[in-house]
Every structure is written in structure tokens, then in C-alpha cells.
Amino acid sequence: MLAKRLIACLDVRNGCVVKGVSFEDLREAGDPALLARRYNAEGIDELVILDVTATVEGRRALARTIRAVSRELFIPLAVGGGIRSDDDAAAAFDAGADKVSLNTAALSDPPLLTRLADRYGSQAVVVAIDARRSGVGFDVFARGGQAPTDRGAVEWAVEAAGRGAGEILLTSIDRDGTRAGFDCELTAAVSSAVSIPVIASGGAGTFEHFHDVFTIGRADAALAASVFHFSEHAIADLKAYLRDTGVPVRC
Amino acid sequence: MIALVDYGAGNLASVRKGFDAAGAELFTPSAPADVAAASGIVVPGVGHFGATAALDDNWRAAIRVAVGAGTPLLGICLGMQWLFDGSEEAPDLAGLGLLRGNCARLRPGEAAVKIPHVGWNTLSMTGASPVVDGLEPDSFVYFTHSYAVPVTADAVATCTHGQTFAAIVATGHVFGVQFHPEKSAAAGLRILRNFVAMCDAR
């Protein structure tokens, strides 16, 4: 049976992980390759490296990071953050990324999704959608959640899938950083509208939140960053919990 | 050295890294004649079956001759589908035809599963082959595909997603895997090591 995936997100700046790393026995906690190795040993299903710098120096550091992580990890690796062009995507793939995640660039240049899908396959193209609740639905925001757009989340997800995106990384801006739970309504609305997998993001705080987003939210995968730093065996424990509550996971 | 056939279908960096971890050196043949000297041949690939059109008659002949001379061959994902007669994804294009059968689009079935099939799913072992030596039963491996090969006598392992399809096939020293061993953690590396061992033994 197809497993629900747990995806860890590493926010990386100039080659260092910048968000909430607190493994006590990991002296070089900021080293993404060490953290990735740790996650892998705990059974994470996939990794996302999010570049939060997007400067020229940051890009070089990012390529080194992707190389270091992909050399020893044999699980899917997605790279996002500041991928704006065919060349940015090519650099990420050359360094060892399996997927690139596009957000603002896909909104401003939707054919980019199709060009990348034609060149690398749809499985390598993730569209990242940042959405916020509005009166009637869910509005899409660009530029890291800062810039409003005239698009609705469900409509944009359907269009992006039609243009060649192979997965949707759906972040609830309302829930991001709150640890109040994923937005299951948003996730279910998008997941029901498309046939490609939906990765839910934003709001993870407890094991129950993951259970809810996989069942009520109909998510195919769930992504979190700092929640996996809660304890040393968070991922293994979470998987055991999900398995015991009837959610299929890889173990 | 093992030949990694690059016909422009996707990014090969991950496949190279996987084989590197499995202890093999890969080279990318620049012309069909180069595969004659290879200890093994890997046909990777992602995306549309139409991309295999780049493997023209010269490549097909060279690969057939090498396989006829005993060179182990491994097709990964689209590369596995290409080893069969063809695919309904590109009906006008013939596969290599080393294995009998046609690739068809996965159907959601009564389970109403999502297509494409993306993620970790379990293998059910249905046969024996050196390529699966040491593989744990019910191993999880990473899939990403919309088309698949039906279960035939050549299937060594199957997987179920809406329908049951061939996940690993083997006939003689010709092997195919529908999933991505280079992205399937320890189980995937085991398969790559098994293939490399067969190549090294020649």
C-alpha cells in the first residue's frame, strides 16, 4: 500500500540550517548534511532544502549543500527557494536535486512549469502554493507569503497540474509557525481537485495533527521543519503512532 | 565499467550517485558502439515513452548485440518499460522487445487512488532472481510513474496501486525496475549492488 510520506524541510542560509535545530548530541547542528543523515537514520521519507538566501553567494553554498546531502542520501531530495529560471533549476538538478519547487516564478511565468516538466519530467516539478483563508476560499500569495495575487488556491493548483507540475506543496500561511495543526480544509479542497499528490505544510505541532491531515485533509505527504526537532526520535515515534492509528507509513 | 545510456530523458545525477554508492564506475557512451566494451548497461529514464525515440536503431542494435554476448542490462522506470514491446503512451513507437508485453496507463480501480503513483510502496516478491538477493520481503521502494507493465511470467516482484503491476522483472541477465532504486534507500542500493556484482563477475 502506498505510504503517506513524512518530509523534513531544511531552511538553509549560506549553507547552514537556520531554523530551530536542537539535537543535543549534534555539535554541528547547522550542517545540513549531518542533519539530513540524522533524519534519514530516523526514517524520513523525503527531504526539502529551502534556500532562504537567494543571493549569488548563497546559490554557490546551496549547490555545495545539495551535493553534500545527495551524495549520501538515497531518498528523494527537493530544492526550493529562489528558483526563478530554467538555469536555476538546471543548477539544482546538476548538483543532485531530484525535484525543484517553484513558487513565485511559477505564478509570474506559468509556462516555466511546462518547460521544466518537458525537460526533466513532471515528477521533478513541484509547485509550491502559499495560501491564506479569505471570506469565500483560499487566496494565493507570492514572494514568501508577502504579495497578494488574484488567484485562488484550488484554481491555481488545477492549472499548475495541467501545465505539468507533478506535485503540490501547499502551505497554509495562517497556520505556518503556529503549531496549531495543518489547515485540513484547505488541504482537502486542493487534494480533491487534482490527481497529483499534495504535500501539506504549515501548522504541524502534534502527532494528531499529522493523523488529521492524512485522513481529514486527504494529504499524500506532510512537511514540517522544526517539529521534527522536538525529540531525538520524533520521526520514528510519529511513524509508529501513525501506523497504530491506521495510517500507512514506510517503516 | 558500466554504461549509463543518456538519451536526454531526465537528470542522471541521482543514478550516478546511486551506483557510486554501490561501488560501480559508470561511463556515458557517446556512440552506440561504445556499449560493446561495457561490463553492464543501465537504461534510466523518466517522463514520456516518446522520449525513447532517441534510442534509435543504432542504439537498439548495439544494446541487443551486447546483451546477446551476455552483458547484464538494467532498465530503470521508463528504461524498464522500454525493454518491453511498447507502451500505450506512445503507440507508434516500438520498445526494445527483449521482454514480452505492453505498458499501459495505471487505472485508479475501485480504490480510486491517485495517478500518477508517487511515493513509497511495498514490493511483493513473486519470483527469485540474483537481482533481489538479500532484499527484505515487503521492502518499501520509491515510485513515480503513471504507466506500468502488467504482471507476466518475468515478474520477480509486483506492487499494487489501484491495480497490481510488475515492479521488478528479470529474464536471464536482463532486468527492469519500475521504481527508482537510486532513491529507495537501503532496499534500492541492495538492488544496485546486486546488479553491479553481476557486471563485475563477467
Side-chain angles (χ1 to χ4, degrees):
Chain A
M1 192 174 195
L2 184 62
K4 300 288 188 180
R5 283 174 282 157
L6 295 181
I7 302 176
C9 183
L10 308 182
D11 290 352
V12 170
R13 172 181 290 148
N14 292 325
C16 286
V17 178
V18 293
K19 200 167 168 180
V21 181
S22 61
F23 285 133
E24 281 179 15
D25 65 336
L26 213 58
R27 294 178 72 93
E28 294 168 79
D31 181 340
L34 282 177
L35 193 54
R37 194 184 302 160
R38 180 61 171 271
Y39 281 146
N40 187 48
E42 287 195 17
I44 200 76
D45 297 310
E46 192 160 335
L47 282 176
V48 174
I49 293 177
L50 197 62
D51 177 25
V52 295
T53 9
T55 61
V56 173
E57 304 77 51
R59 295 248 151 249
R60 289 198 196 99
L62 177 68
R64 282 196 300 276
T65 301
I66 299 169
R67 278 202 184 84
V69 170
S70 64
R71 194 176 297 131
E72 56 179 295
L73 276 202
F74 301 98
I75 58 175
L77 172 64
V79 173
I83 291 185
R84 300 191 182 88
S85 65
D86 301 72
D87 287 348
D88 291 339
F93 287 126
D94 286 348
D98 301 298
K99 312 177 184 183
V100 293
S101 173
L102 306 169
N103 192 330
T104 304
L107 285 162
S108 57
D109 178 20
L112 177 61
L113 292 171
T114 312
R115 290 201 300 278
L116 293 177
D118 285 347
R119 169 113 193 249
Y120 300 100
S122 281
Q123 88 296 332
V125 182
V126 180
V127 64
I129 301 178
D130 292 344
R132 174 173 282 164
R133 280 173 179 262
S134 67
V136 284
F138 304 96
D139 293 340
V140 176
F141 283 69
R143 302 190 191 288
Q146 300 302 307
T149 71
D150 57 1
R151 291 179 177 277
V154 173
E155 164 247 326
W156 172 228
V158 170
E159 178 182 337
R163 287 182 181 273
E167 285 184 84
I168 292 168
L169 169 51
L170 180 64
T171 300
S172 163
I173 299 171
D174 303 306
R175 298 296 177 88
D176 202 26
T178 66
R179 295 189 177 171
F182 295 95
D183 189 333
C184 291
E185 220 175 297
L186 164 68
T187 311
V190 172
S191 188
S192 310
V194 296
S195 68
I196 59 176
V198 172
I199 304 160
S201 162
T206 67
F207 287 2
E208 289 80 2
H209 292 156
F210 286 91
H211 182 272
D212 289 348
V213 83
F214 286 135
T215 51
I216 304 164
R218 306 178 65 173
D220 301 285
L223 175 141
S226 46
V227 69
F228 290 137
H229 310 309
F230 278 171
S231 79
E232 296 211 349
H233 306 290
I235 293 161
D237 290 347
L238 172 55
K239 282 194 162 183
Y241 168 82
L242 290 170
R243 191 186 54 229
D244 292 346
T245 55
V247 176
V249 290
R250 174 179 77 111
C251 39
Chain B
M1 284 207 289
I2 296 173
L4 176 66
V5 179
D6 182 3
Y7 57 102
N11 168 48
L12 303 188
S14 293
V15 178
R16 286 201 185 90
K17 284 176 174 149
F19 274 96
D20 190 45
E25 270 191 273
L26 296 181
F27 75 101
T28 303
S30 51
D34 295 348
V35 302
S39 61
I41 302 169
V42 175
V43 182
V46 292
H48 197 277
F49 196 84
T52 64
L55 293 166
D56 61 17
D57 286 346
N58 293 328
W59 281 105
R60 299 160 69 94
I63 292 171
R64 279 179 167 282
V65 167
V67 170
T71 307
L73 171 65
L74 175 67
I76 298 174
C77 194
L78 180 59
M80 160 182 168
Q81 297 175 4
W82 180 68
L83 303 180
F84 285 77
D85 292 321
S87 171
E88 70 175 31
E89 191 175 20
D92 296 337
L93 204 57
L96 189 60
L98 290 178
L99 289 142
R100 292 270 84 83
N102 268 286
C103 193
R105 188 168 171 86
L106 285 171
R107 285 167 183 84
E110 287 176 15
V113 295
K114 283 189 175 181
I115 310 293
H117 175 214
V118 179
W120 297 84
N121 205 334
T122 39
L123 296 174
S124 296
M125 308 309 292
T126 54
S129 164
V131 82
V132 294
D133 271 359
L135 203 67
E136 298 284 330
D138 304 323
S139 288
F140 276 92
V141 290
Y142 187 81
F143 291 87
T144 174
H145 63 122
S146 297
Y147 289 77
V149 172
V151 177
T152 67
D154 298 319
V156 173
T158 64
C159 179
T160 300
H161 181 68
Q163 69 187 77
T164 299
F165 60 89
I168 304 176
V169 292
T171 177
H173 51 282
V174 175
F175 309 97
V177 288
Q178 180 58 69
F179 51 91
H180 288 273
E182 75 280 11
K183 289 284 120 188
S184 294
L189 291 184
R190 181 83 219 186
I191 289 167
L192 295 184
R193 287 197 188 99
N194 287 343
F195 179 75
V196 169
M198 283 183 263
C199 299
D200 288 349
R202 293 197 69 235

